Amino acid sequence: MSMEIVLISGMSGSGKSVALHALEDAGYYCVDNLPPELLQSLVELKLTHHDEKVAIAMDARSAQGLPQLPEQLERLKQQGLVPRMIFLDASTSTLVRRFSETRRRHPLSPGSLSSGRQALELDIEKERELLGSLRDRSVVVDTGDLKSSQLQSYIKQLIEVPNGQMTVLFQSFGFKHSVPMDSDYMFDVRMLPNPHYENELRPLTGLDQPVADYLRDLPEVRQMQQDIQQFLERWLPRLARDHRSYVTIGIGCTGGQHRSVFLVEALAKQFELQWPTLRRHRALDFRASFLQVSEQFLRPTQAPEAPR
């Protein structure tokens, strides 16, 4: 019997509980904070129960058992079970802010909540080093600017892609917001002509036909697309031969609204004929969430109905 196994790991405060909720909604049997030395036993137990989908979260709370994880993963591989590994990450400043907002103590901190920002930053960097080898084995998702609903959507997209073949994720972003930590390759396209300075195109995005037509007609945009495409055509097959499961290609412009979005869509359309392909537009997702919240605050309050 085959079994789908998803192993969620990552930095404390990066959203692992949110990811587990998404997997639970998708029909997975979920276990949080499983000691790595119990991984094999849990899988064997769930096989006897004929469970087809299992999701497991591991993090720094199981630090003593992490050195045993590579051996456990190799034993699963020998059984024909290859876990899909996802690592959630965020910048140190983002994690510090989240711990401050929730008033939680970092799991590696021996002190109290009042130990201070500097001590918290040291704990986070210690955790980053501790989980480094696990991060290298996984597809990395930067959750820094993601809302819970967006992270849940991303996790569901990742698990819907068939396992066993390298998946290519193209994501657009805006440098003025933040540089995503999860990109394996990053291309800066800020030198290209910017539709932001065209009045009729400014409110649109790279998903809209007028913007796509405008950019497609520019020789330098076509040259940039061709250069990135040729680079990826040369190196993606070699990455696949190196047993990579995921490759994330980041394309950034100033705001993440026009140029990077257009190029992500154009390149994804080219490469989806050869590889399982995902698309993500970080700035547009953030913009949509912001507009949704703004509409809630700006929506006029309905006047109470007059008594009859």
Side-chain angles (χ1 to χ4, degrees), residues 11-256:
M11 301 295 292
S12 300
S14 60
K16 294 185 296 298
S17 60
V18 174
L20 277 183
H21 289 156
L23 292 167
E24 191 171 31
D25 290 343
Y28 283 76
Y29 177 88
C30 297
V31 179
D32 190 14
N33 192 27
L34 180 76
E37 54 267 36
L38 297 181
L39 176 60
Q40 181 73 29
S41 299
L42 174 68
V43 170
E44 291 176 356
L45 176 64
K46 303 315 292 181
L47 283 172
T48 61
H49 292 173
H50 303 289
D51 288 324
E52 298 181 357
K53 297 181 177 181
V54 175
I56 302 161
M58 295 182 184
D59 52 39
R61 291 173 292 177
S62 303
Q64 293 182 345
L66 287 177
Q68 301 182 34
L69 186 57
E71 179 184 350
Q72 298 281 344
L73 293 174
E74 182 60 31
R75 291 174 62 183
L76 291 178
K77 184 178 179 181
Q78 293 173 359
Q79 296 177 252
L81 301 172
V82 181
R84 193 187 300 261
M85 301 180 65
I86 302 174
F87 189 97
L88 307 184
D89 204 349
S91 66
T92 297
S93 60
T94 297
L95 296 175
V96 168
R97 174 176 55 80
R98 289 177 179 174
F99 274 102
S100 299
E101 290 173 351
T102 59
R103 302 293 296 167
R104 291 174 50 217
R105 183 172 64 86
H106 192 278
L108 296 184
S109 173
S112 64
L113 288 172
S114 60
S115 55
R117 180 186 178 96
Q118 186 175 9
L120 178 56
E121 289 177 348
L122 290 175
D123 291 333
I124 291 172
E125 294 308 315
K126 186 190 307 179
E127 181 183 30
R128 203 179 294 284
E129 182 178 353
L130 181 67
L131 299 177
S133 60
L134 196 54
R135 188 184 195 276
D136 292 341
R137 292 171 172 264
S138 309
V139 55
V140 180
V141 178
D142 181 358
T143 68
D145 56 0
L146 301 182
K147 292 185 174 293
S148 296
S149 58
Q150 294 169 343
L151 177 56
Q152 290 182 4
S153 297
Y154 286 179
I155 294 298
K156 291 176 181 178
Q157 288 176 10
L158 287 175
I159 63 173
E160 286 173 359
V161 177
N163 202 6
Q165 186 178 1
M166 188 177 74
T167 300
V168 183
L169 169 61
F170 290 93
Q171 67 174 350
S172 65
F173 68 94
F175 278 95
K176 75 174 186 180
H177 301 301
S178 64
V179 177
M181 302 174 61
D182 51 4
S183 293
D184 297 293
Y185 295 96
M186 191 178 301
F187 297 94
D188 182 352
V189 300
R190 286 177 290 183
M191 76 292 291
L192 299 177
N194 193 350
H196 174 80
Y197 297 109
E198 304 292 330
N199 290 334
E200 67 277 12
L201 301 180
R202 182 177 300 173
L204 305 179
T205 77
L207 299 176
D208 294 310
Q209 195 62 45
V211 174
D213 292 340
Y214 170 83
L215 291 171
R216 192 180 296 112
D217 288 340
L218 297 173
E220 52 265 67
V221 174
R222 294 198 299 270
Q223 185 64 57
M224 176 65 77
Q225 180 180 339
Q226 182 180 344
D227 289 345
I228 297 175
Q229 182 175 333
Q230 289 177 347
F231 176 86
L232 296 177
E233 286 174 346
R234 176 183 294 273
W235 293 109
L236 286 181
R238 299 195 184 191
L239 289 169
R241 288 198 293 270
D242 197 41
H243 307 291
R244 291 286 295 273
S245 299
Y246 294 88
V247 177
T248 301
I249 312 298
I251 300 179
C253 60
T254 305

Side-chain angles (χ1 to χ4, degrees), residues 276-294:
T277 303
L278 295 175
R279 311 172 194 194
R280 180 183 302 166
H281 300 296
R282 300 181 71 94
L284 296 192
D285 289 344
F286 177 80
R287 182 170 176 252
S289 297
F290 176 78
L291 291 175
Q292 184 177 14
V293 172
S294 299

